[in-house]
Each structure stands twice: as structure tokens, then as C-alpha cells.
Amino acid sequence: MALQARARRIAAALVILPLLLGCGCCEGAGVAADSVFGGSRKPFTEQDVIGDWSSDCDGTISIRADGTATVKGLPTSEDTNDVRTYADGEFTWKIAAADKNHDQEVQFASKGSVEFSAHAERTWGDFEDLEYYLTRPSDPIYCVLSKQ
């Protein structure tokens, strides 16, 4: 009898632990755990993102109401050898609406092609910062953009 009770506890832990940790093995469960343990992504408007932003990973973005942005020294990706790619220059931007597979995000394009995007940082309060991910399969990291 004690063996069956222990087996049930282990089985329950194997089911519940991934849900609590948001491991990504079940996308819906990971999202649910993120909203419980990490806040949620707040919706934002054009007025929220227009202005000057600085990244905690270096670089800045000046986002203008006319749909253009100036990017200076902003890292946009990182490979497995810790080599970063940086964005510099003039970009266009738009807000892409959230759907069932993606969060709302600001997309930055150059020559008609989306170069990088940022979404609202998870928070318990109101919208404040944007965050974006540097691609690094072995150790994913993200950068936070804060309004100056």
C-alpha cells in the first residue's frame, strides 16, 4: 500500500513540476506558469513606444511617430561563439498584433525585411519596458530596452 502511495506522489510530481516550472514541454502550461510566476506581457500602443530607448546590452533606438527609427549599436543576435551582430542605421517600425502563437511586438525592418523585434517585458504592473532575445541555442539571453 505504501508503495502505491509513493508511486502516485512521484507520478503527480512528474506531471505538476513541468507545469510549475514552465519548461516549455507543454506550451500552454509554460505560458500559464509564466503568467503566475513572471507576470504578463501588457499591451502597448504607438504612443507607448515612441521615444528614445536604451538597451541594457548596449545600443539605443529612437522611435519616431512617422514610422521610422534610428538604431545605434544595438546587438540583435549572438551565436554560440559569443559573437554578436549589431544593428545600426535607419529602420521602419510597426506594431504587430498578438495572435495565438505570438505576443504583440514592435517589428523593425530595413529594406523591407524584418531585422529584429521586441515585445513587452513581463511585469506585474503597467507597461514599462520592451525586451528582445539574442539568438543563442545553448544559453538563451534577452536584452531589456528602457525608455530614457
Side-chain angles (χ1 to χ4, degrees):
M1 195 58 92
L3 186 59
Q4 288 178 339
R6 183 173 182 196
R8 279 195 300 267
R9 284 194 302 269
I10 290 171
L14 291 174
V15 170
I16 293 171
L17 189 59
L19 296 175
L20 292 175
L21 296 176
C23 70
C25 58
C26 303
E27 185 175 326
V31 170
D34 285 346
S35 66
V36 170
F37 294 107
S40 62
R41 299 195 198 285
K42 305 299 184 202
F44 53 87
T45 66
E46 288 185 3
Q47 287 306 108
D48 291 326
V49 299
I50 292 169
D52 296 325
W53 298 78
S54 60
S55 171
D56 65 347
C57 293
D58 294 326
T60 61
I61 302 177
S62 292
I63 301 174
R64 294 181 290 277
D66 67 357
T68 62
T70 301
V71 177
K72 294 182 183 176
L74 189 78
T76 56
S77 66
E78 183 173 302
D79 68 15
T80 55
N81 296 317
D82 296 332
V83 175
R84 288 187 174 179
T85 302
Y86 291 84
D88 278 292
E90 295 300 314
F91 288 76
T92 58
W93 68 274
K94 70 176 183 176
I95 295 176
D99 61 30
K100 69 178 188 171
N101 296 316
H102 301 93
D103 291 315
Q104 178 189 30
E105 62 183 15
V106 183
Q107 296 177 339
F108 297 89
S110 175
K111 299 178 181 132
S113 174
V114 174
E115 299 284 331
F116 64 99
S117 59
H119 50 263
E121 184 176 33
R122 292 189 183 279
T123 181
W124 293 107
D126 295 329
F127 170 79
E128 289 181 17
D129 296 325
L130 293 167
E131 69 181 8
Y132 65 99
Y133 293 91
L134 298 179
T135 304
R136 186 171 164 181
S138 62
D139 183 22
I141 57 175
Y142 71 95
C143 301
V144 176
L145 292 163
S146 299
K147 212 168 197 179
Q148 298 176 348

